[in-house]
Amino acid sequence: MQSPLDYVNILVSQFPSRIQDSSQAEDAVQLYRRVLSSRPDRSVTIASIGIHTNLAALLRSPADAHSFLDGRSLVAQKVSLLAVMGGKYPSGLECNLEGGKSNLHNHLVAAQSSAYVAAHWPPESKIMWSGAEVGVRVLTGGFEFQRCVPAAELNPVRAAMVNFTGGPNRARFSWDPLTTLAAVRGAGAVGCTECSDCDGHNYVDPTTGANKWITGRKMNQTYLVLRDATAASTAINALLCQSPKAGRTPQLSPAQLA
């Protein structure tokens, strides 16, 4: 198992949470099956912003105490949309689908899982792919966010950004937040459209994790095309600047803000 990045340890040590390490988290497949079985049909949207091992395991899961349906049937009944940060379009190689370069095992497991999800996601549920070429053009979490009032408080987003980027007021590519916001509010909310004249599906190579859009008949898949990077970054930063509904957190000292 890989060690977490430094900012993860900072978030665990400086901010309250019921979970202090991954061993305390509920099994991912059991969590998926428990939540999905309790929701109305076609009411669930999933935003995938990492590798696909858990989604592949969900699709392969058998009936259990939560539902008499197997995993693929449960997804078909409950999930209306899967929004995926993964791949490049129309083709390329990207970290989430191929698992990174840290070790061969992780790479192979990730590539196989990505290929399985792309090929076996049920046609009743839509997949919206968000490629690396989209988020890399949208910068967020920098000065525009860190100057607003919530960021001057004990803010976990600011703490993570400052640690990961190596200092204050440095923006970061927005692959994951853009995909998540598009999942919730639609492509237009992040300055994107869904591709046009692109009937077909995404193929992921199970050995390399490389993907390619295969033109063909109309299916349940589409991918995002960025139209306005400024609108996307403005929308994401505006959400980052919202104060928490649970109440205000303590003000940081000037030394802590540096």
Side-chain angles (χ1 to χ4, degrees):
M1 179 179 294
Q2 292 179 252
S3 298
L5 296 173
D6 287 344
Y7 77 85
V8 176
N9 293 323
I10 289 174
L11 295 181
V12 170
S13 64
Q14 296 185 7
F15 298 89
S17 174
R18 291 182 293 108
I19 295 176
Q20 297 296 304
D21 63 67
S22 60
S23 68
Q24 299 171 315
E26 184 177 351
D27 176 80
V29 173
Q30 289 301 307
L31 175 61
Y32 267 128
R33 292 189 60 86
R34 176 173 60 79
V35 173
L36 290 177
S37 64
S38 69
R39 305 310 302 158
D41 291 354
R42 308 283 296 159
S43 68
V44 176
T45 293
I46 297 174
S48 173
I49 55 174
I51 62 175
H52 289 173
T53 48
N54 292 332
L55 289 175
L58 169 63
L59 292 176
R60 293 186 173 105
S61 63
D64 61 6
H66 298 299
S67 174
F68 65 88
L69 297 173
D70 62 49
R72 193 166 187 262
S73 299
L74 185 61
V75 167
Q77 184 178 87
K78 301 294 185 177
V79 180
S80 61
L81 172 67
L82 171 65
V84 179
M85 195 286 108
K88 294 181 180 179
Y89 299 90
S91 63
L93 190 66
E94 178 275 331
C95 181
N96 283 350
L97 296 191
E98 60 96 14
K101 304 296 184 182
S102 61
N103 62 70
L104 181 61
H105 171 78
N106 286 0
H107 161 69
L108 292 176
V109 169
Q112 291 165 6
S113 297
S114 299
Y116 189 88
V117 171
H120 293 87
W121 198 257
E124 296 87 350
S125 179
K126 178 179 177 180
I127 306 180
M128 181 173 67
W129 301 93
S130 178
E133 74 282 355
V134 175
V136 76
R137 294 170 56 195
V138 179
L139 297 175
T140 57
F143 176 73
E144 293 80 3
F145 156 62
Q146 294 182 33
R147 68 180 175 179
C148 56
V149 172
E153 301 172 343
L154 193 58
N155 186 300
V157 178
R158 186 186 188 280
M161 285 294 299
V162 170
N163 176 268
F164 188 80
T165 61
N169 299 321
R170 297 180 181 179
R172 170 71 177 157
F173 307 123
S174 305
W175 297 295
D176 296 352
L178 184 146
T179 303
T180 303
L181 187 53
V184 175
R185 296 185 179 177
V190 287
C192 294
T193 60
E194 296 183 17
C195 62
S196 58
D197 298 322
C198 60
D199 290 350
H201 68 280
N202 194 25
Y203 169 77
V204 180
D205 187 297
T207 301
T208 66
N211 75 289
K212 182 178 181 180
W213 191 259
I214 306 297
T215 302
R217 64 183 178 85
K218 187 174 180 62
M219 297 181 69
N220 63 327
Q221 302 189 29
T222 186
Y223 61 86
L224 294 180
V225 178
L226 182 65
R227 304 296 184 186
D228 190 337
T230 300
S233 62
T234 298
I236 295 170
N237 279 323
L239 287 173
L240 294 177
C241 283
Q242 289 188 359
S243 295
K245 290 184 178 180
R248 303 182 71 84
T249 50
Q251 190 81 11
L252 292 179
S253 67
Q256 289 172 304
L257 285 171

